Amino acid sequence: MGGVMLLLLLCLSAGAMMVRAEDPYLFFTWNVTYGTISPLGIPQQGILINGQFPGPNINSTTNNNIVINVFNNLDEPFLLTWNGIQQRKNSWQDGTLGTSCPIPPGQNYTYHFQVKDQIGSYIYYPITAMHRAAGGFGGLRVNSRLLIPVPYADPEDDYTVLIGDWYSKSHTTLHKFLDSGRALGRPDGVLINGKSSKSKGKEEPLFTMKPGKTYKYRICNVGLKNSLNFRIQGHPMKLVEMEGSHTIQNSYDSLDVHVGQCFAVLVTADKEPKDYYMVASTRYTKTVLTTTAVISYTNGKGPASPVLPEAPVGWAWTLNQFRSFRWNLTASAARPNPQGSYHYGQINITRTIKLVNSASREGGKLRYAINGISHTNPATPLKLAEYYGVADKIFKYDTMSDDAPATASDKITVEPNVANITYRTFVEIIFENHEKSIQSWHLDGYSFFAVAVEPGRWTPEKRKSYNLLDAVSRHTIQVFPKSWAAIMLTFDNAGMWNLRSELAERRYLGQELYISVLSPERSLRDEYNIPDDALLCGIVKDLAKPPPYTI
Ligand SMILES: *[C@@H]1O[C@H](CO)[C@@H](O)[C@H](O)[C@H]1NC(C)=O
Ligand SMILES: *[C@@H]1O[C@H](CO)[C@@H](O)[C@H](O)[C@H]1NC(C)=O
Ligand SMILES: *[C@@H]1O[C@H](CO)[C@@H](O)[C@H](O)[C@H]1NC(C)=O
Ligand SMILES: *[C@@H]1O[C@H](CO)[C@@H](O)[C@H](O)[C@H]1NC(C)=O
Ligand SMILES: *[C@@H]1O[C@H](CO)[C@@H](O)[C@H](O)[C@H]1NC(C)=O
Ligand SMILES: *[C@@H]1O[C@H](CO)[C@@H](O)[C@H](O)[C@H]1NC(C)=O
């Protein structure tokens, strides 16, 4: 009797958890089509969402349920991923090729996810083919709930600034380059919100500010490969948030934004009332590509000065900037993984994984690898193969070792790269970059503590230089050439999670892997069931659905 009651109670509470009726829903219908855009002044094929390039901005609040019915009207399979949205227990909605079947041309799929316990500035973008090179990306903001104090006064307005390098070649041409073993080459320009200084037409202000007021700008790098420096003429930027964490509020004249990263800053309109340029320019490139966009004062008289603020030079500057980023430990905010949030510096490391990125030109064909493995996506998404119990037909776990081969070698293996990480363990991941170009690594499903970015090679003694107190909890970390970076996190989110190079060319040619975090119990407490309307493909297409997870 007591047992039955208890079971009933458990059922009720699990039911309540699944319905999540208390949190508001936001519904969207998105029509993804080709359309002509001219961001560099020359018409080219773009990917539009509801006719827009960049795509619509999602404005949500912590714990909102977001339902987006995406109609793919392209002639190729398409999939969007939500960079930095943690998809707690819900890798089904992560939108990567290891977790979902892409939406076939002419069909639709409805993403359904909750921005659980998150705040901050994020982006979404297409993960399929080289679609990101044509558009399909946009901003996604998660506001704090009204009850939760934010460590700064409400800004007058909240602006999203998407910066990125841009190619005038179509995404089809670019992926043909990569498929044939060639590199992408250099981009042709830089865009701010889909425009450049070369876009045709009058220079309309992108944003306006009322004198004396303070505005929030959320700056994200949606580009394919270049780190960008961002600055605003005459206006320092007070950093307040980075990829979901409130930061110590330092003031910066300019910020280096690496691919996939987002910063939120406050800017006060307290200068002479006129126009000002915001500037985005490529970092660490022989030829510097620059673009500008205008910010106007509402009472402004006169155009922006043509003299643009200089970008910083060299690595030391950017390394110091990274070291100045600190988490505000006293700010209250939604935090997704409380186990890992406090005193992460005192948790014992259960596993250290060192990942070394490399390039190979074996047989004249360019491929990129991690610890010698160049990932390839099987036709059956890894997560579906795992769920249907046919993983052994599709991939092997842990073919990659936790350490890179000691001898530098061009030898790589092309195969699915899936690491098995034990649920709820605290893991240290070292990214070591022996190459001459910068890297930017992103992990889905989690925030991690970015405890160090240092030149040279990593050794266990280097742990002494970690920031074990107030490193920012974030989802993307850059690694400078001939340098390393260290991150730490608790793997407490069951699912199949993509760890990828944000540099589109590198990811497309194999520099990514998946981390399978299995809940031992197939329990709804740890992971949601596969959605009823999940698209099926590959060998699971005609298999009987396995019994659902239970409490
Ligand atoms: C999407 O846009 C295309 C082209 O404008 C149009 O033909 C189609 O009907 C639209 N689909 C939806 C679902 O709105
Ligand atoms: C975004 O949502 C917040 C909270 O609902 C609202 O106050 C704000 O006006 C919205 N902003 C835009 C641009 O829609
Ligand atoms: C496709 O869109 C229709 C509404 O037009 C919706 O009823 C259906 O559930 C959607 N299919 C998927 C798989 O999301
Ligand atoms: C951190 O957050 C607290 C609490 O909201 C705030 O009072 C404080 O000013 C912030 N500290 C810094 C250095 O930004
Ligand atoms: C961490 O490891 C140390 C040394 O092995 C041990 O003494 C300590 O009890 C461990 N702490 C926890 C919380 O497991
Ligand atoms: C993953 O690792 C755990 C712990 O070592 C082990 O028990 C489990 O069998 C592994 N799972 C797979 C699918 O290899």
Side-chain angles (χ1 to χ4, degrees):
M1 176 67 192
V4 172
M5 270 308 283
L6 183 65
L7 192 65
L8 191 66
L9 280 173
L10 281 172
C11 285
L12 284 173
S13 62
M17 196 178 74
M18 291 308 295
V19 176
R20 292 163 283 159
E22 68 280 14
D23 295 307
Y25 278 75
L26 304 180
F27 293 96
F28 303 94
T29 303
W30 282 3
N31 191 2
V32 180
T33 61
Y34 289 122
T36 303
I37 54 173
S38 309
L40 295 178
I42 312 151
Q44 66 182 106
Q45 186 186 59
I47 291 178
L48 316 182
I49 298 178
N50 295 350
Q52 298 172 45
F53 168 76
N57 229 329
I58 298 179
N59 180 27
S60 69
T61 299
T62 303
N63 291 352
N64 282 177
N65 291 291
I66 300 183
V67 180
I68 311 180
N69 193 352
V70 178
F71 287 80
N72 175 13
N73 281 303
L74 308 181
D75 55 358
E76 295 173 344
F78 182 79
L79 204 53
L80 288 170
T81 192
W82 319 92
N83 222 47
I85 299 303
Q86 295 190 4
Q87 313 287 8
R88 302 291 302 170
K89 310 179 187 182
N90 201 12
S91 64
W92 308 113
Q93 304 292 349
D94 197 31
T96 63
L97 289 169
T99 53
S100 324
C101 306
I103 311 169
Q107 291 190 35
N108 66 303
Y109 173 69
T110 309
Y111 289 89
H112 189 310
F113 59 86
Q114 191 181 19
V115 287
K116 180 89 183 132
D117 295 338
Q118 290 191 269
I119 57 119
S121 313
Y122 305 95
I123 50 172
Y124 61 86
Y125 62 76
I127 201 84
T128 32
M130 283 294 288
H131 292 146
R132 175 153 55 126
F137 50 73
L140 197 173
R141 66 174 74 144
V142 186
N143 302 297
S144 264
R145 287 187 294 161
L146 284 177
L147 296 169
I148 311 288
V150 170
Y152 47 90
D154 254 0
E156 181 70 13
D157 211 338
D158 190 324
Y159 296 138
T160 295
V161 187
L162 303 176
I163 57 177
D165 51 15
W166 191 259
Y167 289 78
S168 55
K169 293 190 181 66
S170 74
H171 71 91
T172 330
T173 307
L174 294 179
H175 89 71
K176 273 183 196 146
F177 278 4
L178 299 180
D179 290 343
S180 69
R182 290 174 55 187
L184 275 193
R186 291 195 201 112
D188 302 296
V190 172
L191 307 188
I192 299 180
N193 286 4
K195 296 197 174 72
S196 73
S197 325
K198 291 183 205 152
S199 304
K200 292 227 163 56
K202 208 169 124 265
E203 209 171 46
E204 296 286 347
L206 192 54
F207 302 112
T208 55
M209 302 201 287
K210 292 179 194 150
K213 300 286 185 195
T214 297
Y215 292 78
K216 189 195 272 187
Y217 288 82
R218 302 175 189 257
I219 305 137
C220 301
N221 187 335
V222 292
L224 299 186
K225 71 190 289 186
N226 279 107
S227 298
L228 299 174
N229 182 265
F230 180 83
R231 51 209 187 269
I232 304 176
Q233 272 179 333
H235 291 75
M237 302 177 282
K238 191 197 264 186
L239 183 69
V240 292
E241 177 252 332
M242 186 186 297
E243 294 156 34
S245 293
H246 293 306
T247 59
I248 296 296
Q249 297 173 10
N250 297 321
S251 187
Y252 297 90
D253 287 331
S254 76
L255 284 165
D256 273 353
V257 191
H258 305 283
V259 181
Q261 297 182 343
C262 287
F263 296 94
V265 299
L266 297 180
V267 176
T268 301
D270 56 3
K271 298 294 178 315
E272 187 194 335
K274 61 183 191 78
D275 289 355
Y276 293 90
Y277 281 123
M278 46 171 68
V279 187
S281 60
T282 56
R283 284 282 266 153
Y284 330 120
T285 51
K286 275 201 199 88
T287 317
V288 176
L289 300 170
T290 301
T291 203
T292 57
V294 171
I295 303 179
S296 277
Y297 277 44
T298 49
N299 62 339
K301 302 169 197 70
S305 155
V307 185
L308 301 182
E310 296 273 332
V313 284
W315 298 103
W317 185 92
T318 193
L319 209 55
N320 283 335
Q321 179 158 86
F322 170 81
R323 289 180 185 136
S324 73
F325 296 150
R326 298 296 166 100
W327 200 17
N328 184 339
L329 296 175
T330 55
S332 36
R335 278 174 198 171
N337 56 344
Q339 299 96 311
S341 286
Y342 305 100
H343 311 302
Y344 64 91
Q346 290 160 31
I347 307 173
N348 286 343
I349 296 166
T350 50
R351 182 168 170 190
T352 296
I353 302 175
K354 191 172 100 186
L355 303 176
V356 177
N357 49 281
S358 66
S360 153
R361 288 177 190 276
E362 233 179 64
K365 276 206 149 194
L366 182 62
R367 284 297 298 187
Y368 291 104
I370 303 173
N371 289 2
I373 299 185
S374 187
H375 176 81
T376 176
N377 288 300
T380 307
L382 308 164
K383 177 70 188 169
L384 297 185
E386 199 175 60
Y387 183 80
Y388 276 82
V390 292
D392 57 336
K393 295 199 173 68
I394 302 296
F395 67 93
K396 287 197 184 69
Y397 290 94
D398 287 326
T399 57
M400 181 187 76
S401 93
D402 277 5
D403 205 345
T407 51
S409 136
D410 262 6
K411 217 87 210 99
I412 57 159
T413 311
V414 179
E415 65 183 1
N417 190 354
V418 186
N420 167 22
I421 292 189
T422 309
Y423 187 48
R424 293 196 167 134
T425 50
F426 188 68
V427 176
E428 169 189 46
I429 301 177
I430 314 297
F431 298 105
E432 213 172 72
N433 181 11
H434 302 174
E435 296 186 75
K436 281 187 243 149
S437 54
I438 192 164
Q439 242 321 335
S440 183
W441 291 107
H442 168 87
L443 176 61
D444 280 355
Y446 295 92
S447 291
F448 49 71
F449 296 96
V451 296
V453 173
E454 296 289 332
R457 297 275 170 108
W458 181 84
T459 59
E461 293 73 57
K462 298 285 169 79
R463 290 190 180 121
K464 291 193 194 94
S465 68
Y466 287 4
N467 175 354
L468 292 180
L469 182 68
D470 57 359
V472 180
S473 174
R474 60 191 302 189
H475 59 68
T476 300
I477 187 69
Q478 76 274 13
V479 192
F480 300 113
K482 314 270 180 204
S483 298
W484 56 272
I487 65 169
M488 296 172 130
L489 70 151
T490 302
F491 278 90
D492 58 359
N493 190 12
M496 179 71 78
W497 303 110
N498 190 211
L499 172 64
R500 60 177 171 269
S501 173
E502 284 282 27
L503 311 186
E505 166 180 40
R506 288 177 167 268
R507 182 193 60 76
Y508 185 86
L509 293 177
Q511 218 158 57
E512 62 176 335
L513 56 83
Y514 282 84
I515 296 175
S516 166
V517 183
L518 284 171
S519 136
E521 285 132 18
R522 282 177 86 93
S523 161
L524 282 174
R525 264 166 299 164
D526 300 333
E527 191 172 17
Y528 298 149
N529 266 314
I530 188 170
D532 289 337
D533 60 355
L535 300 172
L536 298 177
C537 53
I539 64 166
V540 303
K541 200 169 167 44
D542 302 311
L543 293 184
K545 219 166 230 180
Y549 292 166
T550 50
I551 51 163

